Amino acid sequence: MIRLVISDMDGTLLDGEGKVPHDLFEVLDALHEQGVLFAVASGRQYGNLRGLFAPVRDRIAFVCENGALVVWQDEVLSRTPMSRAAVRELVNNARSAGKFEILLCTADAAYHESERSEFLDSVNHYYSSVVHVPDLQDLDAEFLKVVFWHPDGIESRQAGLAPLPAGVKTMVSGFNYIDCMN
């Protein structure tokens, strides 16, 4: 018997325009009635996912920030922060490599120091709480994920982020993005 269904979002669950399919909530209601828990898994921020799934948010689980945050009925079940040293090293590496835009993600917000509109337009699609700060290195927070964006595409630019701090894993999450987390 199936007890749990987990689905990725972008490129999997969402339609070609990046929207929730119109009949999905009916399907999720049917799963719930059969005792099957549905979980959405994404690199997206919890607030963004919670908004997209507002009609059913109390009946589904959220695996956010590429697994660094797991939430069920607004209760955090799991949080896997990165060390401050790893975040500092990643930011310094990206700054040295040049052209990278950086996003530092907490459970509640994503912080950036960028003025680049192309980057900000893209970020606002995936994150509902985005905060501009003068210097990312001045932030005192628990970071779950570090995101890098490059205007020329990330796959050919990953070498600019090396070497990675111990324990940090990367995931290409779109043409321009790479996510780093524990």
Side-chain angles (χ1 to χ4, degrees), residues 4-21:
L4 174 66
V5 174
I6 302 172
S7 178
D8 178 46
M9 289 280 296
D10 298 291
T12 305
L13 185 64
L14 300 182
D15 67 19
E17 296 177 9
K19 296 181 181 175
V20 175

Side-chain angles (χ1 to χ4, degrees), residues 42-56:
S42 178
R44 290 178 184 236
Q45 187 179 56
Y46 174 56
N48 179 278
L49 294 172
R50 193 172 187 269
L52 287 171
F53 289 89
V56 295

Side-chain angles (χ1 to χ4, degrees), residues 95-155:
R95 285 178 173 168
S96 295
K99 276 197 174 180
F100 284 101
E101 299 295 342
I102 307 164
L103 196 64
L104 300 184
C105 303
T106 68
D108 301 314
Y111 298 88
H112 69 90
E113 55 193 20
S114 178
E115 300 293 335
R116 187 182 293 202
S117 62
E118 180 185 8
F119 167 69
L120 297 175
D121 290 345
S122 179
V123 165
N124 286 325
H125 179 75
Y126 300 105
Y127 296 88
S128 55
S129 178
V130 181
V131 180
H132 181 270
V133 296
D135 188 345
L136 292 171
Q137 296 287 33
D138 292 341
L139 291 172
D140 182 23
E142 181 181 75
F143 297 109
L144 303 174
K145 183 173 74 173
V146 178
V147 177
F148 299 108
W149 180 94
H150 197 284
D152 300 330
I154 203 68
E155 290 195 43

Side-chain angles (χ1 to χ4, degrees), residues 18-64:
K19 296 181 181 175
V20 175
H22 70 279
D23 58 348
L24 179 64
F25 296 127
E26 293 171 19
V27 172
L28 297 182
D29 286 339
L31 286 173
H32 179 72
E33 289 173 14
Q34 294 175 24
V36 177
L37 175 62
F38 179 80
V40 60
S42 178
R44 290 178 184 236
Q45 187 179 56
Y46 174 56
N48 179 278
L49 294 172
R50 193 172 187 269
L52 287 171
F53 289 89
V56 295
R57 69 177 176 228
D58 293 332
R59 295 190 305 271
I60 69 171
F62 298 90
V63 181
C64 317

